Amino acid sequence: MLSHAITADPVYEFAADVRAGLSQPGQKELLSKYLYDDVGSALFEVISVLPEYGLTRADERLLRRHAHHIVERLPSPVVVAELGSGSGKKTRWILQALSQTQRTSYCPIEISPAALAMCKRELGDIDAISIVGFEREYLDGLLEVAARREAGESLLVLFLGSTIGNFDREAGVSFLREIRRILQPGDALLLGTDLEKPMAQLLRAYDDPLGVTAAFNLNLLARMNRELDANFDLPQFEHVAKFNRVARSVEMHILSRCKQTVNIPAADFSVTLQEGETIWTESSHKYSRDEIAHIAKDTGFHCESQWVDEEWRFAENLLVAG
Ligand SMILES: C[S@@+](CC[C@H](N)C(=O)[O-])C[C@H]1O[C@@H](n2cnc3c(N)ncnc32)[C@H](O)[C@@H]1O
């Protein structure tokens, strides 16, 4: 697989973001993209097979059942760009369906080099598919893929796994608008969205009894210890999942079990946390079916088709750029 790597200093950027998020007044916060280093990406793969986390299986079921219906609605030839591909396992269904009619370039866009490597291992065997990985932030990567397309080629952007839910609702809308700006009329966005469901079911999905999601969350502290020489004492922290009724989201936090001060030398910074104080690390917003069609219209797309999994309420939405 060809690969285009990040050239800026990622540790410097990580340190700057940690400093900004932990020094802000009120709720302390860390950006969820930092959950995905090598350890975090591996743990996410385990989360995706936990019995309590039905989301990935629902997404996969929809892609397996409807890949041919999705592909037949696309113009040809098409280049596929995937935002935050992770291991790309589910994408196999789309790529296999495409490979029956055309040679296809598949461009996973990832900030996690470990995820990009998994993606290559996972999908490298599909005939008629060439993989060009981009170790980039979502929109930087998409701009590059769009700039490389040849005359007559359309773009299919995949944003699966309800990763859109990691954005605040308003930021999600702005993000879709940015995507639309990069696309041309007729290009498509396949957007996976987790739908609203009972709170207890959601909380189990983000706080499994085996503690894998807890390890995924706390790994962010371990990552700061590894990369920024911080001295977070992990047993003094715990993973918390909460449901935010107003935002209709599940929030992951890291709670401090006591009052403590932590040094983060590479960020030239130390932070004091009170007993019970939390650091907010991720949100996963949940959607209603109708909401997606409205958001699509609002952001310059139209919702061409929607497929819903009834076992775990999840929607695959095919949005076409107008
Ligand atoms: C929730 S996981 C979803 C993975 C996969 N799409 C799925 O559905 O299972 C989000 C993925 O997006 C990547 N990611 C997070 N923030 C990113 C960013 N700003 N730019 C590029 N990739 C990002 C992470 O490394 C991770 O692999």
Side-chain angles (χ1 to χ4, degrees), residues 60 63-64 67-68 71 80 88-102 104 106 122-123 125-129:
E60 202 263 347
L63 294 172
R64 175 159 39 91
H68 286 279
V71 162
V80 181
K89 257 184 202 163
K90 293 169 289 176
T91 307
R92 167 173 292 276
W93 300 106
I94 297 286
L95 296 180
Q96 276 180 344
L98 278 170
S99 72
Q100 290 175 11
T101 56
Q102 63 164 77
T104 305
Y106 167 60
E122 192 64 40
L123 302 172
D125 66 318
I126 307 176
D127 282 345
I129 300 293

Side-chain angles (χ1 to χ4, degrees), residues 32-37 41 44-45 48 53 55-56 59 82-91 109-113 115-116 134-139 158-163 166-167 175 216 282 314:
S32 64
K33 65 179 181 179
Y34 292 116
L35 292 164
Y36 297 92
D37 64 348
S41 290
F44 182 75
E45 286 305 299
S48 73
Y53 193 82
L55 193 156
T56 308
D59 199 359
E82 179 161 13
L83 307 179
S85 62
S87 70
K89 257 184 202 163
K90 293 169 289 176
T91 307
I109 298 164
E110 255 296 339
I111 38 160
S112 162
L116 268 187
F134 288 81
E135 193 189 322
R136 294 279 191 283
E137 295 270 347
Y138 300 129
L139 295 176
L158 305 177
F159 199 25
L160 305 177
S162 204
T163 307
N166 295 155
F167 291 87
F175 185 70
F216 173 68
E282 191 189 65
F314 187 97

Side-chain angles (χ1 to χ4, degrees), residues 57-71:
R57 282 184 295 281
D59 199 359
E60 202 263 347
R61 270 193 298 275
L62 290 169
L63 294 172
R64 175 159 39 91
R65 283 180 193 150
H66 301 295
H68 286 279
H69 304 128
I70 294 168
V71 162

Side-chain angles (χ1 to χ4, degrees), residues 141-158:
L142 187 57
L143 273 168
E144 271 193 64
V145 174
R148 284 157 183 257
R149 73 158 118 183
E150 290 175 12
E153 281 179 335
S154 292
L155 210 53
L156 167 65
V157 180
L158 305 177

Side-chain angles (χ1 to χ4, degrees), residues 271-291:
V271 59
T272 298
L273 291 142
Q274 303 301 320
E275 181 179 347
E277 187 175 2
T278 71
I279 303 170
W280 183 10
T281 52
E282 191 189 65
S283 291
S284 299
H285 291 78
K286 305 300 165 189
Y287 292 88
S288 72
R289 274 186 80 156
D290 295 345
E291 202 177 349

